[in-house]
Amino acid sequence: MAAVKITDLPVIERENSISIKGKQKKQLKCDTDSVAGCVSQRACVYCGARVVLNPITDAVHLVHGPIGCASYTWDIRGSLSSGSELYRNSFSTDLKENDVIFGGEKKLARAIDELVAKYRPKLVFVYSTCIVGVIGDDLQAVCRAAAQRHGIEVIPVESSGFIGNKAAGYRAACDALLSLIKPADSLIGQIPKSINYLGDFNLAGEAWIIKKYLNRIGVTVNVVFTGDSNYESLKNTARASLNIIQCAGSMIYLAQKMKELYDIPFINVSFLGLQDTADSLRKIAAFFNDQEIMRRAEELIKNEEAEVKPVIADYSDKFVGKKAAVYVGGGFKAVSLIKQFAEIGIEVVMIGTQTGRKEEYKSINDLVNDGTVILDDANPSELEKFMLEKGAHLLVGGVKERPLAYKLGMAFIDHNHDRKHPLSGFVGAVNFAREVYSTLCSPIWTLVNRG
Amino acid sequence: MLDFTPKEIKKLTGGVINPAKTCQPIGAMYAALGIHRCLPHSHGSQGCCSYHRMHLTRHFRDPIMASTSSFTEGACVFGGGANLKTSIKNVFAIYDPDIMAVHTTCLTETIGDDIPSILSSAEVPAGKVVIHANTPSYVGSHITGFSNMTKGIVTYLAESAKEAKKEQVNIIPGFVNPGDMREIKRLVKTMGIKSIMFPDTSGVVDSPMTGKFEMYPKGGARVEDIRDSGNSKLTIALGSFASTDAAIQLERKCKVPAKTLKAPIGIKATDELLMALRNSFVREIPSDLEEERGQLVDIMTDTHYHFHGKKVAVFGDPDIVIGLTEFLLSLGMIPIHVLTGTPGNAFEKEVKAMLLQAGLKANVKAAGDLFEFHQWIKNEPVDLLMGNTYGKYIAKAEDIPFVRIGFPILDRSVHSYMPVVGYKGAMRLIEMISNALLDRQDRDAREEDFELVM
Ligand code: SF4
Ligand code: SF4
């Protein structure tokens, strides 16, 4: 295999966004803007805000802008609901030329009035898109007035696309959530042994799995942010005695704020992979310092592991010598994936994220083997170059990466919105191994003459 | 559970619920992909570009390449000229396309970037081309964007060299799948006529698996062919919404006579396309095509009793819906709700005229949304629903058989490889419709009514 050289890259500006473990000591450049003219795989602020808030099931999610931004986000995220399905509709103010010239405030107010009349929601989120930031609509004022008119909460989400990348959108979403969960005095008073579970969007029902585990060990889940949550449950947020954060990229800010405002401590967890899941359950039990919880946690871990480990071992036997490449949205997921792959005996040879943070890149660097390529905000040709050079057999990515991998004759797993099976917890670890198996070991690859 | 639509109809004035359209740039991006070795470029924030690529990727299940100017706050204040110029430099240096097709987004339209003047002072490497189209999303729909970019292609590229026109026809296929484009080209070729099709996404978004990633797959209209389109003796625009503007532009610029026909969906519209070719190029309809047509008529006779009198609701892009409505009428079906999300009175006029001729009346609307469409269906139920993927919510809520057609289809595959146009496409449509209706009949049949032969 040819040695990988970063200097082969066609754009110098990208050089600092890529590193190779063991080769140099430089600090990877991340959290920057994409280069103009790049085929970036990155999304925008609105996208970030929408993915965080969208799983709130009984809210009206109204996109203030031209039609496109709403069309593309209509029910694309597979968050499941046990209650209302209102969030799966697409609401847009569908701004027209006149609105752009004369302002869209009146139309927005009308849209809110009509939607409230139709659906009687307790909660409306109004997302601003790029153009709203430019034409200068006063979102705050319109929302405030509408809230008063209808006696419900109408929360503006400041998510104009150009003010940053997806990470800025997470922040905007957290701000919106903070204004929603502001507790009335009567609500304060902690429920013992109860937690909020931050950073699970209940894709394919993942939050439900974790909720069951926690219930089994004697911990109550107060509310999940934001998978399968709703107005009522979110209003109770401040009553939990602990916050656990899974997806730190999107939720750490919220957890820090809750600590500051409501004195709720937080710990980081991960329910991806066997080891992480077990560690996290122990960590939670230890936090409550309760013998019974600890005992039950150990019991659960023992039972579950006994059930899944042999199954996973069977799969791992088939993965000998296989290598994976990872390109995902956030750094948290990237870190978990390295560990998850290690559990099934697959080495990660290339890893990148759209919005990973400095600390996360550090953990990534600590976890991977020497020679692994690490990149931030990669474009398709970089992904192709490094995957081929490093001899990856499998790519983990999102919607846009799937056909790229397939065209290269490479197996693929969606670890994003399009995932179809829950990948969390002990069952998730089995699903993960099964998914890897079904794509990596499919007979179709024998039809591909990889040149 | 997904049924949130109340039956009682109330007018909405503050926007849409469940849109039946999307924004211009994605149409422009799709049109630009129909040029060989072209990289579409989205001038605006990176979010838009990412969404458009994602949406197209989900429909075609192929890599969709496009670059973005990656706007930041600074660009919004000072204008996007610098971003666009840097983009042009980077795009040619990194991705090396032959041609770059710039479209605008809401943002760059609103801040008022003047693309032609930015382009005139940009450094474009020798032998390379940059073209552009303005595509503000607060006007029209993705179909408008497709039309605008197609027109831009003509404006920038078409040339006429000689006085005498060549014996060749330009075909503007409209916003259809590559499978349709291939079928139209086959029809014209079978007629023995040389054609230039643009945009032509066949071989680009339905490229074969080779084990290699090709940034620019084999397909797409060649720039030199598009240049030569100015020398053709006729342009046929298939569909007035997506294709006419470009054809007229070509007429204006290079004096190539323009003729707009319906999207060739169904027997009548396909006949019209072949007749137009026959008349302009003095050709006989070859026996192969006559045979195909005969087969189609045979199928229609064999199966007409499955269709007759069945009520249908159709939605989607205007050119497709117009063609489809005509075809449904020819099968004896009754379209009672017909809707497009794209604005345009011509749609309502044309559909209503067809219905009137058949002695029918229906709900017909342009610039509508699926919320209203669903309400119509609640008030007047149908036997069949036809439209893009988003129809599945209605189909489930109302428990009606559903045939997927148009853009986008996000939950089924293979559709983009198979035509709905031409005689073959009509056969396929009949198969899809009758399968949907008869599968339902089988599913619902009581045991004593369950039949082997249908
Ligand atoms: S802002 Fe972008 S995605 Fe939204 S409507 Fe405009 S061009 Fe389309
Ligand atoms: S307009 Fe802005 S907010 Fe909308 S998709 Fe584009 S970048 Fe995102």
Side-chain angles (χ1 to χ4, degrees):
Chain A
M1 188 194 317
V4 180
K5 268 193 283 163
I6 303 178
T7 41
D8 294 346
L9 288 176
V11 228
I12 304 300
E13 283 96 323
R14 293 279 311 145
E15 217 183 278
N16 291 327
S17 302
I18 302 173
S19 74
I20 297 166
K21 164 125 187 212
K23 280 267 168 67
Q24 69 273 80
K25 282 272 161 302
K26 80 174 182 201
Q27 172 69 50
L28 189 77
K29 202 169 135 204
C30 61
D31 212 358
T32 56
D33 299 318
S34 303
V35 179
C38 258
V39 179
S40 168
Q41 309 289 80
R42 258 184 187 171
C44 68
V45 185
Y46 162 67
C47 176
R50 182 76 195 244
V51 298
V52 170
L53 297 176
N54 195 59
I56 302 174
T57 57
D58 59 353
V60 161
H61 297 268
L62 171 61
V63 184
H64 186 36
I67 193 67
C69 311
S71 284
Y72 304 121
T73 45
W74 179 5
D75 202 20
I76 57 166
R77 201 169 159 91
S79 323
L80 304 190
S81 166
S82 57
S84 176
E85 302 278 352
L86 185 57
Y87 70 121
R88 299 184 63 181
N89 288 284
S90 171
F91 305 112
S92 164
T93 49
D94 188 17
L95 291 182
K96 299 285 170 51
E97 197 150 24
N98 260 330
D99 308 318
V100 172
I101 299 166
F102 299 111
E105 293 180 10
K106 288 216 183 77
K107 195 172 191 191
L108 172 59
R110 272 204 314 274
I112 298 172
D113 291 350
E114 287 168 359
L115 291 171
V116 169
K118 245 185 199 102
Y119 300 105
R120 303 263 153 230
K122 293 188 182 125
L123 174 60
V124 177
F125 286 111
V126 179
Y127 299 83
S128 71
T129 56
C130 283
I131 196 172
V132 173
V134 175
I135 62 179
D137 279 0
D138 188 345
L139 218 58
Q140 304 275 355
V142 177
C143 291
R144 212 178 307 121
Q148 262 167 16
R149 248 191 336 273
H150 301 292
I152 59 167
E153 301 221 28
V154 182
I155 299 179
V157 185
E158 300 287 354
S159 51
S160 281
F162 59 83
I163 54 177
N165 60 23
K166 213 167 164 182
Y170 295 153
R171 173 87 182 231
C174 289
D175 281 330
L177 286 167
L178 280 169
S179 76
L180 173 67
I181 64 185
K182 202 178 296 147
D185 292 339
S186 61
L187 267 181
I188 302 187
Q190 289 187 339
I191 308 167
K193 310 219 166 50
S194 74
I195 60 161
N196 297 325
Y197 175 24
L198 276 59
D200 190 320
F201 305 104
N202 203 30
L203 302 180
E206 290 178 339
W208 293 335
I209 294 173
I210 305 308
K211 236 173 155 169
K212 265 189 218 132
Y213 290 160
L214 292 172
N215 285 341
R216 270 165 65 188
I217 68 171
V219 173
T220 337
V221 175
N222 185 43
V223 58
V224 179
F225 280 78
T226 52
D228 193 24
S229 65
N230 56 40
Y231 177 81
E232 289 301 334
S233 63
L234 287 165
K235 275 294 178 195
N236 267 317
T237 299
R239 303 198 57 191
S241 43
L242 172 68
N243 281 333
I244 59 173
I245 323 170
Q246 161 135 282
C247 175
S250 61
M251 287 287 169
I252 186 91
Y253 169 70
L254 187 64
Q256 282 161 346
K257 277 285 180 193
M258 283 204 253
K259 168 118 184 44
E260 199 180 301
L261 297 168
Y262 312 123
D263 204 25
I264 306 176
F266 63 85
I267 54 177
N268 283 307
V269 296
S270 158
F271 293 106
L272 294 173
L274 295 179
Q275 194 56 50
D276 275 10
T277 304
D279 288 351
S280 298
L281 290 172
R282 290 191 177 109
K283 216 164 154 184
I284 294 164
F287 173 86
F288 287 114
N289 195 17
D290 176 316
Q291 289 304 324
E292 178 59 12
I293 295 180
M294 288 188 215
R295 190 192 59 75
R296 288 215 229 166
E298 289 308 329
E299 191 180 271
L300 183 149
I301 293 166
K302 202 172 113 225
N303 291 343
E304 293 285 331
E305 281 186 347
E307 202 169 307
V308 302
K309 270 194 168 156
V311 188
I312 291 176
D314 276 353
Y315 284 118
S316 308
D317 289 346
K318 307 191 167 84
F319 302 152
V320 176
K322 299 288 185 198
K323 295 172 190 159
V326 174
Y327 188 72
V328 288
F332 156 77
K333 211 182 278 167
V335 172
S336 310
L337 277 165
I338 301 173
K339 297 192 214 161
Q340 258 180 302
F341 273 119
E343 283 175 6
I344 54 174
I346 292 179
E347 186 195 351
V348 172
V349 290
M350 185 212 88
I351 186 155
T353 81
Q354 288 178 38
T355 58
R357 294 166 305 141
K358 232 189 222 157
E359 315 83 82
E360 291 165 337
Y361 277 112
K362 201 182 157 299
S363 328
I364 291 173
N365 198 61
D366 291 345
L367 281 169
V368 295
N369 294 341
D370 272 3
T372 298
V373 176
I374 306 172
L375 25 80
D376 182 60
D377 183 25
N379 61 51
S381 31
E382 286 165 2
L383 293 179
E384 179 196 10
K385 173 182 156 71
F386 292 120
M387 285 190 300
L388 292 183
E389 283 178 1
K390 301 299 295 179
H393 301 95
L394 165 78
L395 172 68
V396 184
V399 185
K400 290 189 296 280
E401 287 78 45
R402 180 191 294 267
L404 176 68
Y406 288 165
K407 278 284 182 281
L408 296 172
M410 199 176 277
F412 181 85
I413 295 188
D414 194 302
H415 212 288
N416 211 336
H417 314 326
D418 287 5
R419 82 176 68 158
K420 294 293 171 253
H421 309 286
L423 300 175
S424 281
F426 300 99
V427 278
V430 175
N431 288 339
F432 180 71
R434 186 178 303 130
E435 262 192 54
V436 170
Y437 172 70
S438 61
T439 178
L440 201 55
C441 304
S442 163
I444 56 156
W445 305 122
T446 59
L447 300 174
V448 183
N449 44 343
R450 216 159 138 186
Chain B
M1 237 184 355
L2 287 169
D3 185 9
F4 266 88
T5 311
K7 193 168 169 185
E8 183 200 344
I9 296 183
K10 254 197 233 146
K11 270 233 128 330
L12 281 180
T13 59
V16 306
I17 303 177
N18 301 343
K21 64 168 179 183
T22 183
C23 64
Q24 281 208 44
I26 197 170
M29 190 181 277
Y30 183 53
L33 288 166
I35 308 176
H36 182 59
R37 292 190 58 82
C38 175
L39 188 69
H41 180 84
S42 164
H43 185 47
S45 311
Q46 58 194 12
C48 306
C49 183
S50 169
Y51 278 135
H52 303 151
R53 289 177 54 213
M54 184 179 75
H55 216 56
L56 291 169
T57 300
R58 285 189 161 127
H59 177 86
F60 294 108
R61 298 179 190 241
D62 248 25
I64 302 295
M65 292 298 130
S67 53
T68 159
S69 294
S70 300
F71 262 52
T72 54
E73 265 182 299
C76 291
V77 180
F78 301 112
N83 280 54
L84 185 51
K85 284 182 201 166
T86 316
S87 298
I88 292 173
K89 193 181 105 223
N90 282 340
V91 160
F92 286 112
I94 309 168
Y95 305 110
D96 191 36
D98 288 352
I99 169 170
M100 180 176 169
V102 179
H103 62 259
T104 54
T105 58
C106 298
L107 180 61
T108 42
E109 285 293 329
T110 310
I111 63 175
D113 275 354
D114 178 1
I115 309 296
S117 80
I118 298 172
L119 292 188
S120 66
S121 60
E123 279 172 52
V124 179
K128 307 280 179 177
V129 196
V130 181
I131 67 172
H132 101 281
N134 286 90
T135 49
S137 307
Y138 41 79
V139 181
S141 75
H142 56 296
I143 296 301
T144 324
F146 183 91
S147 165
N148 285 341
M149 181 52 85
T150 309
K151 185 176 165 190
I153 292 172
V154 171
T155 309
Y156 276 90
L157 299 177
E159 288 167 3
S160 53
K162 305 176 214 66
E163 274 304 298
K165 296 294 184 192
K166 294 187 189 170
E167 280 293 303
Q168 63 189 25
V169 62
N170 303 324
I171 307 261
I172 306 179
F175 196 130
V176 292
N177 280 318
D180 296 313
M181 297 180 183
R182 285 177 195 272
E183 180 62 10
I184 295 165
K185 284 194 288 188
R186 186 185 67 90
L187 290 174
V188 183
K189 196 171 162 198
T190 313
M191 289 285 292
I193 300 166
K194 184 176 176 245
S195 67
I196 298 172
M197 174 177 282
F198 66 90
D200 178 5
T201 59
S202 66
V204 181
V205 297
D206 61 354
S207 64
M209 159 68 151
T210 57
K212 252 172 80 190
F213 165 64
E214 301 286 354
M215 181 104 183
Y216 308 105
K218 279 213 196 95
R222 313 269 143 170
V223 171
E224 60 274 19
D225 288 339
I226 302 175
R227 288 217 167 94
D228 191 37
S229 69
N231 300 316
S232 300
K233 82 173 209 192
L234 174 69
T235 303
I236 294 184
L238 295 172
S240 59
F241 280 82
S243 307
T244 295
D245 280 3
I248 289 176
Q249 177 75 351
L250 196 51
E251 186 167 67
R252 215 178 281 144
K253 195 175 168 200
C254 304
K255 309 220 165 28
V256 181
K259 187 170 181 65
T260 298
L261 296 174
K262 280 193 201 84
I265 295 173
I267 194 157
K268 195 156 166 253
T270 307
D271 284 352
E272 277 162 20
L273 170 61
L274 296 185
M275 286 307 160
L277 290 168
R278 190 184 76 164
N279 295 341
S280 299
F281 290 87
V282 204
R283 289 280 194 307
E284 278 317 305
I285 307 285
S287 58
D288 284 3
L289 293 182
E290 271 178 354
E291 187 179 7
E292 262 174 44
R293 184 181 194 278
Q295 287 176 320
L296 173 58
V297 177
D298 189 65
I299 291 170
M300 288 169 75
T301 2
D302 288 346
T303 55
H304 68 278
Y305 56 91
H306 291 315
F307 306 117
H308 196 85
K310 293 274 194 262
K311 290 181 182 164
V312 194
V314 196
F315 74 94
D317 296 335
D319 294 332
I320 304 230
V321 171
I322 289 170
L324 196 55
T325 305
E326 186 179 73
F327 182 49
L328 294 173
L329 288 169
S330 74
L331 288 171
M333 301 183 92
I334 310 178
I336 59 169
H337 309 303
V338 185
L339 177 139
T340 183
T342 299
N345 294 332
F347 174 82
E348 295 181 11
K349 247 171 76 191
E350 197 164 349
V351 173
K352 279 185 183 154
M354 285 191 296
L355 291 165
L356 195 69
Q357 215 186 4
L360 298 170
K361 255 184 72 185
N363 288 315
V364 181
K365 189 169 181 178
D369 62 25
L370 292 188
F371 181 82
E372 184 172 8
F373 191 65
H374 192 173
Q375 289 186 313
W376 290 349
I377 293 173
K378 275 193 182 300
N379 285 285
E380 247 182 290
V382 292
D383 303 302
L384 177 72
L385 173 65
M386 298 185 80
N388 64 34
T389 283
Y390 295 111
K392 76 190 287 181
Y393 300 110
I394 300 174
K396 190 160 174 83
E398 305 304 325
D399 195 22
I400 2 179
F402 177 36
V403 168
R404 285 166 180 77
I405 181 170
F407 174 86
I409 294 177
L410 310 171
D411 59 342
R412 294 292 187 274
S413 53
V414 198
H415 52 85
S416 63
Y417 295 80
M418 309 301 250
V420 297
V421 298
Y423 302 128
K424 292 270 188 213
M427 292 179 200
R428 177 167 170 255
L429 278 173
I430 292 177
E431 188 179 15
M432 294 197 298
I433 295 171
S434 57
N435 283 351
L437 292 175
L438 298 180
D439 281 350
R440 171 57 52 100
Q441 197 178 317
D442 278 344
R443 190 198 79 179
D444 293 348
R446 284 176 309 184
E447 262 176 47
E448 58 269 37
D449 297 332
F450 190 63
E451 289 186 86
L452 177 70
V453 182
M454 294 172 90

